[in-house]
Every structure is written in C-alpha cells, then in structure tokens.
Amino acid sequence: MQLKPDNCSIIIFGANSDLAARKLFPSLYELALWGNMPDDYRIVGVGRADLSHEEFRLTVQEKMADLFPETVRDEAAFSLFSARLYYVRVNLVEIDGYHLLHKELLDVSGESGICKNLLFYLATPPSLAPVIVRNMELAGLGEKDSICGTWRKIIVEKPYGRNLQTARELNSVIGEVFSEKRVFRIDHYLGKETVQNIMVFRFSNGIFEPLWNRNNIANVTITIAENFGIRDRGAFYEEAGLLRDIMQNHALQLLSAVAMEPPVDFSADAVRDEKAKVLRSIRTFTPDNVEQSVVLGQYEGYRSEKNVAPESTVETFAAIKFFVDNWRWKDVPFFVKAGKNLAETLTEIVITFKCPPQNYFGPAESCSYTANQVIMRIQPEETIAIKFGAKRPGEAVITDPVYMRFDYKTSFTESGLTPYHRLLLDAMAGEQMNFIRQDSVEYSWAIVDAIRDAVGGQPPESYPVHSRGPESVERIYS
C-alpha cells in the first residue's frame, strides 16, 4: 500500500480552465474521499477572475455538479473537501499577483507542512509556461527558495513547446527555477493501467520476452483513433496539428514502451533511460524516404470548424512508418496511425509475429490469416488478446484464427485509479517513472521536426468523416 504523501499545498494555475474542471478537481476530490490525500493539505486556485475563497468554492462545486452530479452527491464529504479550497487572483503576465500568491502560500501559521511543500500545476496554455515560471522565480516561489528539508515541484502539461527549439527554450527556463527531479511533464497516457501493464507483460512473462525482437516479430502497429473531430479546440489545433498533439507525445511514448530494452532496475531513471534510447534510435526522416513513410490527412469539413482558417493545411491524421535502428529491432517496421473523425475511437498496440518457416495448413505463399498476434487494447476496452491458429472442427484440416483474451474489468475485482488520480499521487510522492524526462521531450521533437521538414509544404490529403483515413495510407504498409 502506498504511503500518504507529505502535507502540502497544491497550486493550480488556470483554476477556471476546462482541464481543472474536468480532471483536476474531480480527481483531487475523489483521492480525498478515498483517503489517499495527505493528512493536511490545501488546494489553491490561481486565475484572472475576481473571486473570493467562498465564491471559488461555489464555482468548483457548481462545475462538478454539472459535469459529474453523482460525484458531489455526498454533501458532507464535499463540504470537507471544499473547505480546503482557496483562491488567489493573478494576472499571469504581471508580477504583482505572484507576490500575493507568495503571501497566501507561506503566511500560514499552525498548519504543518502545507506552507512548506508546494506542488504547482500549470493547467494553462503552453505559451504561458515560461512567463509563469519566470514570475514564480521573481516572487520567491522557485525550488531554490524552499526551506531545508521541504520541497517545491512543478507539473507541466503538454505540448512542451511547438518544436525542438521552443522545447529547449522551455526546458531551459524551467531548469533555471526547478531541478529535473522536481519537474513532472505529464502525459495522461502514461497513467493508464493498460499502458503501465506493457512493461509488466513484457518483462514478467517468460513466454514473450525471448520472442520480443527482430527474429520473431514481423511488425508492430499502434493506433490512436478518435471518431470525433476537434470539437471546440480549433484555435489550439490550428497552432498544433495532429503531429504535435498526438504523435510527439502519446504515440512515441507507446512506441518506446513496446521497444525499450529491459531496464537495469525498476527505478524511474532506469526505465526512462531505456525509453530515451529508443527515441534516439529512430531512423531519420528525409525528403528521400518520406513518400514511403508518411501520410498526412485532414478530415472533410475541418476548415469549417470554429476558429479554423478557410484555407488551413493543418493535419488531423497521420500514418507513419518508423524504424528503430538498434540491435533488437533493425528493419522491423512500427506502423503508427492517429487521427480525428475516424471510423471508431480506439487505442491499441498490435504485435504481429513472423510466420512459421513452413505453412502446412494454408496457401504456401502466405500465413497472414493465422499470423500470431498480441493485441493490447488500451481504450475503450482494457484487454490483452493473443491470436493464434486452431483447427476448425471436422474431418478437413482447416485453420481458423482464435483468441485468448484477458480483460481488466472481469479479471480483477478492485478498480484501478484513473490516469489523473495516479499521476497526481505520483507527483506528490516524487515518483517520476510515469512522467517524461527532458531528454525524451527533445528527442521526440527532433523526430517530429524531421517529419515536418521532410514533408515540406505538401498539403494533407482530404478524407471522409468516420472513414479509415486517406486512401493513400496503404502505401506505407508495403
């Protein structure tokens, strides 16, 4: 059982944001309800709205009641949580409000630990991160200003910059105020039980790890598909696009979890060392190979979405063939597909094994219909299936594909934590394994920048809503 975190204050910049309303406050409330929060804590919201503590508490309650009515049904329990909420009005680009925040955080008497241990969460647009961090330093809220024996940490939401250069600039700004061991770059995919189970599946099962290499695996396919569009995120998507929004973080993190070498131990840095090595090993994209490796698309009607330019060339779909040029994976293709407004919402990893050397039970030239596969479904289901060939009942020897399937929901009675539950607890405890390290951020951006440079000004291909993507996507699978 995980020990309770240290007493602390959690400071949420962007306390009136959609992220705070949908993920942060509900997760913190449920952690408190389950007894996972520190014995003594405060949650301090920071925003531009002019609110008193009581007005802020009422605002949080109303938003949660609207979004998750069952969550706040226990009025007594929510009242105890609400009493922990405070608010400070801050214009994030001006220093004056940060001094008021400093006073609110540190001028607390008789409350053990909460004024000494500070966890900052930037639930703000990424462009504001450097401004906020610099103003925190000027107001004496950085790590170097902490009292001996206490801690100050910061959680940063993706995207971490817009390209390699801006990512390095952001890392430099944060690094001047917080040491790397106090920086938690959050990617909620890494908090999912099914993603954390990838390493367990690989490294605790002797049947699979000896086969997990170029000698036995034909290819790996990673799919991150959504059956809806950009919704109300037009302004963000015009700036980011699919490559920056999904490929640079979620997709490459899944790829590195599948392809990493066994770590020397299960410490955060040992695991993250191996993931970083994978990203360093990804074959460079150039104008010469991009035609066979990359397809970008844009769903029909995207240009009519709110806050989208009428002539926009932003991609909402990407299919990319990666190669990891190391000993284990040389010449094994990793097909990664992600997109908006596709046929279904689905995140899964499919490891397809090579055919046996001789096929007795089907066409000699192919065994594709009985190729062995491990299928890790991350969402909407949480399952792992193994596909193999079995004889169909009857006199004739006919092989059919069959499945053995493990399901989290039916195999375990206890329910797991959601990603934000897990990652908030990890950050309070100082556990960094499920957060992205600075070097991996920069390696990932170097990969995405190389793709964008290789594609050049070629516009994305149009594809119908609720389809499988652009017609030409099949070319990268050859």
Side-chain angles (χ1 to χ4, degrees):
M1 182 177 178
Q2 184 171 341
L3 296 176
K4 281 191 176 183
D6 297 333
N7 293 341
C8 64
S9 288
I10 301 168
I11 303 93
I12 301 176
F13 288 90
N16 299 309
S17 66
D18 186 64
L19 171 64
R22 290 183 178 276
K23 299 295 183 182
L24 303 186
F25 289 117
S27 296
L28 290 167
Y29 171 59
E30 287 174 333
L31 288 173
L33 202 61
W34 302 333
N36 295 122
M37 289 294 283
D39 292 329
D40 203 1
Y41 68 93
R42 289 191 307 165
I43 300 169
V44 181
V46 176
R48 295 183 179 183
D50 188 8
L51 301 172
S52 67
H53 297 320
E54 286 302 325
E55 288 170 333
F56 177 62
R57 290 164 184 162
L58 183 60
T59 299
V60 172
Q61 182 175 7
E62 288 175 346
K63 287 182 178 179
M64 287 181 60
D66 182 49
L67 293 168
F68 312 102
E70 293 187 4
T71 304
V72 297
R73 190 159 293 170
D74 187 337
E75 293 183 7
F78 190 82
S79 179
L80 290 174
F81 173 76
S82 181
R84 306 276 192 165
L85 300 179
Y86 297 83
Y87 185 80
V88 179
R89 182 186 183 189
V90 176
N91 183 330
L92 298 179
V93 299
E94 296 178 2
I95 186 61
D96 293 349
Y98 291 82
H99 290 299
L100 293 175
L101 177 62
H102 185 284
K103 179 177 176 62
E104 176 66 38
L105 293 175
L106 301 185
D107 289 1
V108 180
S109 59
E111 298 187 57
S112 175
I114 62 174
C115 66
K116 299 176 183 178
N117 298 320
L118 307 178
L119 175 63
F120 300 97
Y121 197 119
L122 304 192
T124 54
S127 58
L128 285 175
V131 178
I132 294 171
V133 173
R134 287 193 180 101
N135 282 334
M136 286 171 59
E137 181 183 30
L138 293 174
L141 292 171
E143 182 186 355
K144 67 182 181 182
D145 299 300
S146 60
I147 303 168
C148 182
T150 64
W151 49 257
R152 297 185 185 181
K153 306 168 186 173
I154 186 168
I155 300 177
V156 184
E157 278 278 350
K158 74 172 186 71
Y160 321 107
R162 295 189 69 255
N163 51 34
L164 178 57
Q165 178 183 344
T166 55
R168 284 175 171 166
E169 291 170 356
L170 177 58
N171 284 335
S172 176
V173 170
I174 294 175
E176 291 173 3
V177 185
F178 294 90
S179 62
E180 182 63 24
K181 67 180 179 179
R182 302 298 191 194
V183 180
F184 296 78
R185 297 174 188 84
I186 193 168
D187 181 341
H188 73 274
Y189 261 56
L190 299 186
K192 291 178 179 289
E193 292 281 1
T194 40
V195 173
Q196 295 181 1
N197 196 42
I198 294 172
M199 282 194 296
V200 176
F201 181 84
R202 282 191 57 190
F203 301 130
S204 69
N205 293 295
I207 0 177
F208 299 110
E209 176 53 28
L211 306 178
W212 215 262
N213 54 56
R214 70 187 188 284
N215 297 321
N216 303 290
I217 291 178
N219 62 71
V220 177
T221 302
I222 299 172
T223 302
I224 305 175
E226 295 171 327
N227 66 358
F228 51 87
I230 59 169
R231 292 176 172 168
D232 58 352
R233 302 172 71 210
F236 167 77
Y237 235 77
E238 281 293 275
E239 183 178 350
L242 191 284
L243 288 174
R244 294 187 178 108
D245 182 40
I246 300 295
M247 200 63 65
Q248 184 270 334
N249 39 77
H250 300 334
L252 286 175
Q253 285 298 310
L254 291 180
L255 188 155
S256 62
V258 172
M260 65 183 281
E261 295 294 321
V264 294
D265 55 42
F266 208 55
S267 64
D269 273 336
V271 171
R272 298 192 297 175
D273 284 344
E274 300 306 329
K275 290 184 176 181
K277 289 177 185 177
V278 172
L279 298 174
R280 285 179 57 193
S281 302
I282 288 178
R283 186 177 299 175
T284 302
F285 291 86
T286 68
D288 294 331
N289 66 23
V290 72
E291 181 70 19
Q292 294 76 39
S293 303
V294 178
V295 173
L296 301 182
Q298 182 187 93
Y299 65 79
E300 295 174 356
Y302 170 77
R303 295 175 180 180
S304 300
E305 298 276 20
K306 183 180 178 181
N307 296 323
V308 170
E311 304 299 324
S312 175
T313 58
V314 168
E315 76 284 350
T316 62
F317 172 94
I320 301 175
K321 178 165 58 177
F322 291 97
F323 288 97
V324 180
D325 286 337
N326 62 17
W327 190 275
R328 182 182 290 263
W329 296 110
K330 184 70 172 178
D331 293 331
V332 175
F334 286 71
F335 301 110
V336 181
K337 181 175 78 172
K340 299 283 187 180
N341 258 338
L342 296 178
E344 60 181 331
T345 295
L346 168 72
T347 301
E348 73 174 11
I349 302 167
V350 180
I351 294 93
T352 301
F353 291 83
K354 291 182 177 180
C355 299
Q358 185 167 339
N359 185 11
Y360 297 106
F361 309 113
E365 67 277 4
S366 172
C367 76
S368 59
Y369 66 96
T370 55
N372 299 142
Q373 291 181 326
V374 171
I375 304 165
M376 300 179 177
R377 182 70 60 89
I378 293 169
Q379 62 181 21
E381 299 89 4
E382 298 181 330
T383 60
I384 299 176
I386 300 173
K387 176 185 174 184
F388 58 97
K391 179 184 175 297
R392 184 188 301 175
E395 292 187 14
V397 180
I398 300 174
T399 305
D400 281 340
V402 296
Y403 296 85
M404 295 177 65
R405 189 168 177 267
F406 152 78
D407 189 324
Y408 260 95
K409 292 181 180 178
T410 58
S411 297
F412 297 109
T413 55
E414 62 270 26
S415 58
L417 297 175
T418 70
Y420 277 93
H421 290 137
R422 167 55 54 205
L423 295 174
L424 284 165
L425 279 178
D426 283 350
M428 282 186 276
E431 173 53 64
Q432 291 186 302
M433 183 185 298
N434 297 314
F435 295 86
I436 304 175
R437 202 168 59 187
Q438 174 180 337
D439 54 350
S440 287
V441 168
E442 296 181 7
Y443 294 144
S444 298
W445 273 122
I447 294 166
V448 169
D449 284 0
I451 294 171
R452 299 188 71 87
D453 290 343
V455 171
Q458 183 176 345
E461 301 175 40
S462 180
Y463 63 93
V465 170
H466 298 158
S467 68
R468 297 289 176 183
E471 291 183 2
S472 64
V473 73
E474 293 303 321
R475 75 168 183 258
I476 73 167
Y477 293 96
S478 59

